[in-house]
Amino acid sequence: MQRHRVMISAAVVAAAIGFVPNVAQASDQPADRTGSVAAKIDSAKAAAAGSAVFHSPAERTVRKATAAAPADAGKNGKTAAAPQAAGAVKDNPGLAVDLLASGTTAHGISLASQISTSVESSIRVEINWGDGQTETAHTTNAKLLKSNHKFAEVGTHKVTVTLTDLNNNVTATNSVDVQAYGSKFTPHGPTRLLDTRDGTGATAGPVVPYGTARVKIGGNSGIPADATAVALNLTVTNARSGGHITAYPSGTEQPNTSNVNFVAGQTVPNMTIVPVGSDGYVELVNRSYGDVDLIADVTGYFTRTNASGYTSLDPARIVDSREGLGTSWGQVAGQSTFPVQIAGRAGVPSWGVTAVALNVTVTNPRNAGHLTLFPSGQQAPSTSNVNFTGGQTIANSVIVPVGSDGRINIRNGSWDPADVIVDVVGYYSPDSKAAYLPVKPTRLYDSREWSPVQGQDYSYLPLGDGKPWVTGYVLNATVTNTQGDGHLTVAPDSNTWAQYLGGTQIRPTPPNSSNLNWTKGATVPNLVQASTGKHGVIDLWNRSWQPTDMVVDMFGLYEY
């Protein structure tokens, strides 16, 4: 196995929760592993985008006679009326076109136009993409014409292909309705869709070992029946043994991935963006040997309509109560709420933002409790985003609607104070171009197959290399076999993949942010909305003094 090692020295920087030492280096990474990552991404993307096929057979072609220009047309400054070509339609009775389209990207399709003709003739081919864009081609014989197109907006478009036989004065037209496979986001006020403790959304009672809870998404609580994916905050509580929860679209095969990992007696949340099955349901399987209670809170959904696109940002800290950043200095009091200005900060525009993607961390809590994030101008809902115990440091990814004043609220549901840290990683708005392409959950990286990531080391993945139109990935990052306390930072790399291959990379500096926190021996997952940055290389930083294993699963990507 070929190995590629990069030695990097890093300056001392402040960590999200602890400290970073003065030496960092890049983990050994075999070239075949990084190539395998790219292949897995391409395969999952192609399967998702191409899963819908649109066909209009040649039999639907409509043929019409056209006007023929007389020989003296235009002479003496006059244009004579062109007579209708008698029997012209009969002169090329086989002129027709069969249309077959499939998705290629969140915004793009491929179109195969199978052109048939009875005679050799000069034929003009015009493709009207249904969005104001057209293109033309020419042929003299039967031909398979392949075309690709990217729509500015997702949704349904009518593509029309017109053949004009210039010698026999006849046209043949066929059309097909196509749909770009990408989806855009609509915020939803935090709402509880499932709580097995009290029977919300399901029969009351815990989920049995290796049993499944079904969550109705489409047509529930104002969510459209055609929702393609949903943003859910999943919480496990009353677990009788260790295990994990896997979320996946109803009617599909259970994937070999995890969304929430837990141990006996633990209450742990994790954000997930999961595709919705064709019947409108999402399924949650309890992969443990004990009963668990499950809670699912929705904060938004995706549809193939022109709603809000996504803009990825480099992680930036906007709240840290330990320093008085973005809020009053000092711990947030129990049973209290504080506002956070979102619009106009950390790369978020000052207007037009419908929702924001955050990573929220609780540290130094004096007692057990939970945080609830919700848009300003509303009452705090009976949902939770981050659950914690006394003294615990824990993070969770959050997507929260933004109020009309550009703010959100954060409520400490504990009876005692806690410190709160918030990092912004992206936002949703009508002006954002990137649409979401949900894919079958796919494992991209597992350090257990090779070697753990060393303390204060990082692993780099060329997830977006050569794909500038891909702006971000929805990942679930899990740390396991942790040999010490620490936290994970996921961020774009300042180097290109070509620089790594050529050994000319320069030192990347991780941002002062965190995506998940762990203690020795713990297995901890968290959703990561990872920006591809300028070069498409994403770093996974082990901000611990000891080695740890990292597992990365892909659930979708954003592309324009």
Side-chain angles (χ1 to χ4, degrees), residues 229-244:
V230 63
L232 290 176
N233 195 66
L234 303 179
T235 303
V236 174
T237 191
N238 302 324
R240 294 190 177 181
S241 72
H244 65 271

Side-chain angles (χ1 to χ4, degrees), residues 204-229:
V207 182
V208 299
Y210 289 87
T212 299
R214 285 169 53 82
V215 185
K216 182 173 176 56
I217 304 298
N220 190 9
S221 297
I223 301 172
D226 60 353
T228 59

